């Protein structure tokens, strides 16, 4: 089937194969006798189209599938008044013309039997095998009586999950929707609009991503005619006027043929008319259409090297428009598309766009995954060790979709997120420092890369290195970038609501939203970021010098030396629920440190005894005294950095007891603050607020005493 424009009314284009009268064929199938030793006449056209692509195909299974479908649907009528069997016949013919293999055609003949007749999946499996049964089940709708308003989104979820295991499921669904759109005129206008919008938002992007341009372009035109009838009518009149005139592309095409003949390059040069939506887009972009805007030249050759030979001849013998050159052979699109795109200036200054590809590339460009045949044959895939089938046609975007849909348990969330995800029509590849790659939608940021690589651990992201340079999480990634994500050591770190402004992937958005929802507004710290609730510690003292305050009440720490005075060390400023240990100093006082504090090792080395210590399991940790903590902020140097950091600290109701700023080194600056906070629960929120300051890429707890300035 051609990918050229399809007129929902009377066709404007001449076709190499006349449209088949499926209404007549369906009635013949219902009323006429069928011999058991040959194919029924009603699917003769399907057999002819199938044999054109697969000369050695065994058509016996198609005969059996047709007989089951015709018998099952006998007596059912479509709303258009046609026998229902015309629909599975039309769907199968669409796929046959695209080059689908026999299993797909068998399933397409049966795709409505389980949904609309008494045939069961067990019967399909027994008669046609597991593969056909899986495809039929994949496209069978869920019952509205069971799912209510969620039936449509959950049906698409079911179909997409099935497509993740076998892309032929979606091939059948796309052909099914195309025939339904062709016959949508019998529906009420409001239902036409509803179906057209779902087709526009979900099915057309899926057709684009699977590379099935032949279906995608016709679906676009049919949706255009329903949702924008005035613009469609105007575009149709423009195309009709162009077809009646002498197309200026004809002269340029002949010049190209002559040039390639003289160069000895065997090539077929065709004029490829644009479809309705394509013409409309060009008109919106340029305003007034030129004669060459209604079509493009298509040059088909035998080998990849011939594509570049044609390109060289065209750029030598014609004036090329360099800005229009794109090489999708060396760098194929994510939907399998390969072609060279260029534009040349013809006689009288007319500019013609030219597509150059091999016949094989053209087949894949038109039919996408359908042209790949059965992906599970011996030469198409290998059987993995775990026994599950590996689908070589499963692209990265589909894998990502299947991952995030598991987290979108609510049908409305899934439906909204699916439409937003499919609206992103370009993909980039970024490289990890460990040699792996990440496939992301165009416009993705370091936040997206973090969640793609680390999942929920990305909640602790604090920055990244892009191509070796430190970068903020909001940095937008480009195709081919190398990215290294930086994660905080503090397990309490969480995402910021501002991250939602930078994410493009549903997986990241769902994970961030879920974390924020799990931390209610009442527990939010500075900048609206939720803070993990923690009990307050006692005020700190400086254990290294023996200076500090003696609390007027017992510390919130229990030690294994009964009756000994207890103080919290100022070198590492422990707070609940840090892992802690005590060390006995002069006078019998026990100073409590974080277990990883370097001072603990030094005291043990000089013979100071370690004392077991733990936070009280019960008691009020959040009243009375403040506590002290030392934080280190690492950042890029910039004007007003110190002012912005101190403002973030003040916003958290923290008092700066001491501070030091080290001289810049390689444009990086290290700030150390000793702070006094009224509540230990505010520490994670304070650290996140400091990380939010532009230029700051890490904030951590200090393990050495701060130097007062």
């Amino acid at each position: 089937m051609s990918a050229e424009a399809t007129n929902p009314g009377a066709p404007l284009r001449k076709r190499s194969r006349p449209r088949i009268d499926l209404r007549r064929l369906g009635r013949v199938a219902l009323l006429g006798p069928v011999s058991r030793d040959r194919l029924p006449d009603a699917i003769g056209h399907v057999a002819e189209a199938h044999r054109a692509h697969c000369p050695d195909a065994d058509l016996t299974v198609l005969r059996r599938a047709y007989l089951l479908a015709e018998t099952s649907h006998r007596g059912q009528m479509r709303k258009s008044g046609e026998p229902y069997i015309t629909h599975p016949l039309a769907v199968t013919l669409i796929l046959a013309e695209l080059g689908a293999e026999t299993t797909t055609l068998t399933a397409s003949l049966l795709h409505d039997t389980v949904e609309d007749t008494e045939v069961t999946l067990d019967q399909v499996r027994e008669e046609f095998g597991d593969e056909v049964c899986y495809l039929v089940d994949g496209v069978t709708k869920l019952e509205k009586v069971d799912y209510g308003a969620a039936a449509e989104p959950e049906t698409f979820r079911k179909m997409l999950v099935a497509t993740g295991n076998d892309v032929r499921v979606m091939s059948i669904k796309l052909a099914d929707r195309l025939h339904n759109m062709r016959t949508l005129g019998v529906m009420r206008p409001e239902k036409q609009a509803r179906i057209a919008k779902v087709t526009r938002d979900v099915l057309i992007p899926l057709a684009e991503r699977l590379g099935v341009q032949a279906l995608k372009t016709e679906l676009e035109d049919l949706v255009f005619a329903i949702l924008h009838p005035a613009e469609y009518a105007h575009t149709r009149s423009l195309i009709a006027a162009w077809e009646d005139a002498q197309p200026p592309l004809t002269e340029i095409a002949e010049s190209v043929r002559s040039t390639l003949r003289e160069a000895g390059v065997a090539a077929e040069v065709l004029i490829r008319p644009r479809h309705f939506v394509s013409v409309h887009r060009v008109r919106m972009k340029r305003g007034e259409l030129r004669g060459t805007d209604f079509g493009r030249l298509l040059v088909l050759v035998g080998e990849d090297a011939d594509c570049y030979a044609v390109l060289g001849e065209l750029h030598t013998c014609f004036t090329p428009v360099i800005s229009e050159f794109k090489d999708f052979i060396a760098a194929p699109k994510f939907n399998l598309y390969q072609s060279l795109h260029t534009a040349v200036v013809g006689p009288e200054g007319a500019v013609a766009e030219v597509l150059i590809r091999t016949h094989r590339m053209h087949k894949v460009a038109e039919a996408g995954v359908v042209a790949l045949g059965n992906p599970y044959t011996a030469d198409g895939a290998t059987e993995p060790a775990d026994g599950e089938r590996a689908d070589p046609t499963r692209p990265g975007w589909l894998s990502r979709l299947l991952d995030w849909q598991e987290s979108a348990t609510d049908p409305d969330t899934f439906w909204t997120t699916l439409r937003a995800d499919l609206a992103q029509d370009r993909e980039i590849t970024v490289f990890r420092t460990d040699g792996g790659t990440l496939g992301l939608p165009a416009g993705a940021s370091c936040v997206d890369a973090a969640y793609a690589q680390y999942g929920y651990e990305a909640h602790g992201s604090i920055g990244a290195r892009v191509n070796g340079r430190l970068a903020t999480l909001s940095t937008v990634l480009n195709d081919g970038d190398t990215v290294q994500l930086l994660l905080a050591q503090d397990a309490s770190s969480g995402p910021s609501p501002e991250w939602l402004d930078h994410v493009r992937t549903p997986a990241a958005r769902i994970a961030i939203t879920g974390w924020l929802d799990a931390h209610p507004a009442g527990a939010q710290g500075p900048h609206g970021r939720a803070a993990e609730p923690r009990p307050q510690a006692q005020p700190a003292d400086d254990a290294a010098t023996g200076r500090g305050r003696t609390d007027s009440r017992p510390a919130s720490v229990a030690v294994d030396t009964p009756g000994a005075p207890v103080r919290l060390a100022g070198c590492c400023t422990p707070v609940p629920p840090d892992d802690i240990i005590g060390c006995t100093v002069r006078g019998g006082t026990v100073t409590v440190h974080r277990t990883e504090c370097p001072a603990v090792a030094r005291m043990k080395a000089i013979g100071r005894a370690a004392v077991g210590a733990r936070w009280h399991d019960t008691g009020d940790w959040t009243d009375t005294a403040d506590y002290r903590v030392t934080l280190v902020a690492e950042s890029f140097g910039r004007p007003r950095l110190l002012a912005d950091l101190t403002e973030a600290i003040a916003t958290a109701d923290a008092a700066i007891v001491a501070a030091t700023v080290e001289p810049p080194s390689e444009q990086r600056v290290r700030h150390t603050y000793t702070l006094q906070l009224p509540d230990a629960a505010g520490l994670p929120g304070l650290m996140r607020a400091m990380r939010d300051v532009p230029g700051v890429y890490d904030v951590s707890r200090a393990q050495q005493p701060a130097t007062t300035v």
Side-chain angles (χ1 to χ4, degrees):
M1 186 179 64
S2 172
E4 312 306 341
T6 300
N7 182 357
L12 294 174
R13 308 250 197 280
K14 292 182 180 179
R15 294 179 175 271
S16 58
R17 186 196 300 269
R19 178 159 295 185
I20 297 168
D21 187 350
L22 289 170
R23 179 180 299 184
R24 179 181 61 81
L25 292 176
R27 287 173 179 164
V28 168
L30 286 173
L31 303 176
V34 176
S35 172
R36 292 185 177 276
D37 58 357
R38 65 185 180 88
L39 282 170
D41 292 337
I43 61 168
H45 294 284
V46 172
E48 178 187 350
H50 187 36
R51 279 278 169 83
H53 293 277
C54 308
D56 300 326
D58 180 8
L59 302 180
T60 305
V61 67
L62 288 182
R63 181 183 71 83
R64 291 192 290 113
Y66 172 77
L67 290 176
L68 177 58
E70 188 277 323
T71 302
S72 303
H73 290 297
R74 182 173 294 168
Q76 295 179 348
M77 307 295 286
R78 304 195 80 213
K79 290 188 177 181
S80 60
E82 300 168 316
Y84 197 90
I85 191 62
T86 60
H87 173 64
L89 274 172
V91 173
T92 306
L93 181 59
I94 290 169
L95 292 169
E97 290 185 324
L98 287 174
E101 38 71 57
T102 307
T103 302
T104 304
L105 300 184
T106 303
S108 68
L109 282 169
L110 301 170
H111 79 274
D112 275 339
T113 54
V114 174
E115 182 179 325
D116 295 331
T117 75
E118 298 300 319
V119 175
T120 65
L121 284 173
D122 289 337
Q123 288 176 291
V124 173
R125 181 182 292 105
E126 182 179 352
E127 183 72 19
F128 300 98
D130 290 337
E131 213 161 30
V132 171
C133 179
Y134 184 85
L135 298 179
V136 172
D137 184 32
V139 295
T140 298
K141 294 178 183 176
L142 297 173
E143 291 290 344
K144 205 161 190 177
V145 66
D146 297 327
Y147 288 84
E152 184 173 38
E154 290 302 324
T155 293
F156 271 99
R157 189 202 296 266
K158 170 176 174 278
M159 248 181 284
L160 288 167
V161 172
T163 299
N165 292 324
D166 194 328
V167 292
R168 293 174 294 179
V169 171
M170 192 53 64
S171 300
I172 297 172
K173 177 59 183 178
L174 291 171
D176 171 66
R177 179 54 61 94
L178 175 57
H179 184 247
N180 284 332
M181 288 293 296
R182 285 176 177 174
T183 58
L184 203 59
V186 298
M187 300 287 186
R188 300 187 310 276
E190 58 271 19
K191 189 167 185 179
Q192 289 185 40
R194 184 185 66 79
I195 295 174
K197 287 176 182 177
V198 173
T199 303
R200 176 196 63 193
D201 296 343
V202 180
L203 273 304
I204 289 175
L206 284 170
E208 168 73 17
R209 293 186 177 207
L210 293 173
V212 194
Q213 295 296 319
L215 303 186
K216 179 235 179 186
T217 52
E218 187 173 350
L219 284 171
E220 280 186 328
D221 287 344
L222 292 164
V223 168
F224 186 38
I226 292 172
L227 298 182
H228 306 283
E231 291 89 340
Y232 172 80
H234 180 60
T235 304
R236 178 180 176 182
S237 65
L238 292 174
I239 293 175
W242 173 75
E243 289 182 334
D244 292 339
Q246 178 67 20
L249 285 174
T250 303
E251 185 177 351
I252 302 177
E254 189 53 45
S255 297
V256 171
R257 291 189 190 100
S258 176
T259 299
L260 297 179
R261 271 198 307 269
E262 292 175 4
V265 180
E268 184 179 0
V269 181
L270 306 171
I271 297 176
R272 181 179 175 84
R274 291 182 183 271
H275 64 105
F276 290 93
V277 171
S278 180
V279 171
H280 176 70
R281 287 172 181 157
V282 173
R283 185 170 70 87
M284 292 295 99
K285 178 181 178 181
R286 297 180 181 167
E288 186 175 348
L289 291 172
R290 304 170 301 195
T292 54
D293 288 336
F294 290 90
R296 292 178 286 190
L297 298 184
L298 175 63
V299 182
L300 299 176
V301 295
E303 303 294 336
D304 290 11
D306 295 335
C307 295
Y308 294 97
V310 169
L311 181 69
E313 293 297 329
L314 292 182
H315 283 195
T316 300
C317 300
F318 297 88
T319 301
V321 182
I322 301 301
S323 61
E324 295 294 324
F325 173 68
K326 298 180 181 68
D327 188 346
F328 294 118
I329 295 178
K333 290 186 178 182
F334 68 92
N335 61 357
L336 311 177
Y337 178 86
Q338 287 185 288
S339 187
L340 294 178
H341 289 202
T342 190
V344 297
V345 180
E348 301 179 1
V351 177
E353 295 183 37
V354 185
L355 311 178
I356 308 167
R357 60 180 71 142
T358 65
H359 291 279
R360 171 64 178 170
M361 291 175 191
H362 182 59
K363 181 179 179 182
V364 174
E366 293 292 283
V369 295
V370 179
L372 300 181
N374 185 349
Y376 311 114
T377 54
D379 57 351
T382 57
E383 195 77 13
D386 59 6
E388 293 186 3
R389 297 186 304 182
D391 188 346
T393 66
R394 175 169 167 174
W397 65 264
L398 182 55
S399 296
R400 294 196 304 273
L401 189 155
L402 295 176
D403 288 340
W404 69 252
Q405 68 85 25
E406 293 181 357
S407 302
T409 54
D410 176 63
D412 290 337
T413 301
F414 166 75
W415 197 228
T416 302
T417 308
L418 175 64
R419 294 186 182 207
D421 190 12
L422 293 177
Q424 302 170 20
D425 58 356
R426 291 197 307 113
E427 189 167 273
I428 63 171
T429 299
V430 298
F431 297 91
R432 303 188 330 219
T433 52
D434 61 3
T437 61
L438 297 172
L440 299 168
S445 66
C446 292
V447 176
D448 296 295
Y451 281 94
Q453 181 170 353
Y454 294 111
Y456 289 104
E457 292 181 16
H459 289 333
S461 299
I462 57 175
R465 293 182 185 272
V466 178
N467 301 324
R469 294 178 176 271
L470 288 166
T472 62
L473 288 171
S474 61
T475 301
V476 175
L477 299 169
N478 296 311
D479 198 28
D481 281 348
T482 298
V483 61
Q484 176 187 4
L485 285 313
L486 307 176
L487 303 182
Q489 298 298 318
D490 185 0
S492 68
S493 296
S496 163
E498 287 78 10
W499 290 9
L500 294 173
D501 297 333
H502 311 301
V503 297
R504 295 294 298 274
T505 55
R509 184 171 297 277
I510 290 172
I512 295 169
T513 303
W515 192 93
L516 295 173
D517 289 345
H519 297 74
Q524 286 186 351
H527 298 270
R529 297 179 63 174
E532 297 283 1
R534 286 186 179 179
Q536 178 178 329
Q538 298 301 313
D541 75 325
D542 190 339
T545 63
R547 297 191 305 269
R549 298 180 303 179
T550 302
D551 295 347
S552 59
R553 65 177 177 86
S556 298
V557 176
V559 297
D560 292 342
T561 305
V566 177
R567 292 174 180 169
L568 300 179
C571 54
C572 58
T573 56
V575 296
D578 293 338
D579 291 332
I580 53 176
I581 190 170
C583 291
T584 303
V585 296
R586 292 178 184 175
T589 299
V590 176
T591 58
V592 177
H593 299 255
R594 293 159 62 192
T595 54
E596 66 268 28
C597 179
V600 175
R602 291 197 297 269
M603 290 186 184
K604 288 181 178 179
I606 63 175
R608 298 280 176 86
V611 178
R614 59 199 172 276
W615 303 105
H616 281 311
D617 293 333
T618 59
D620 187 358
W621 291 346
T622 58
D623 58 4
T624 67
D626 297 344
Y627 74 96
R628 189 170 296 181
V629 65
T630 301
L631 301 179
V632 177
E634 297 181 272
S635 61
F636 305 110
R638 67 169 179 83
R640 289 192 53 81
L641 175 62
L642 182 60
D644 291 343
L645 272 170
T646 54
E647 181 181 357
I649 293 170
T651 303
D653 295 327
I656 300 178
V657 177
T660 182
V661 180
E662 298 179 13
S665 174
E666 297 180 352
Q667 298 184 342
R668 285 176 289 181
V669 182
R670 181 184 176 96
H671 300 242
T672 304
Y673 298 94
T674 298
L675 307 173
Q676 193 162 297
L677 270 74
D679 185 357
L683 178 59
L686 170 62
M687 295 176 68
R688 289 193 293 270
M690 293 174 67
R691 290 188 194 111
D692 276 349
V693 173
V696 176
Y697 59 87
D698 191 19
V699 176
S700 58
R701 301 271 297 278
Q703 295 184 351
Q704 297 293 334
T707 301
T708 305
V709 296

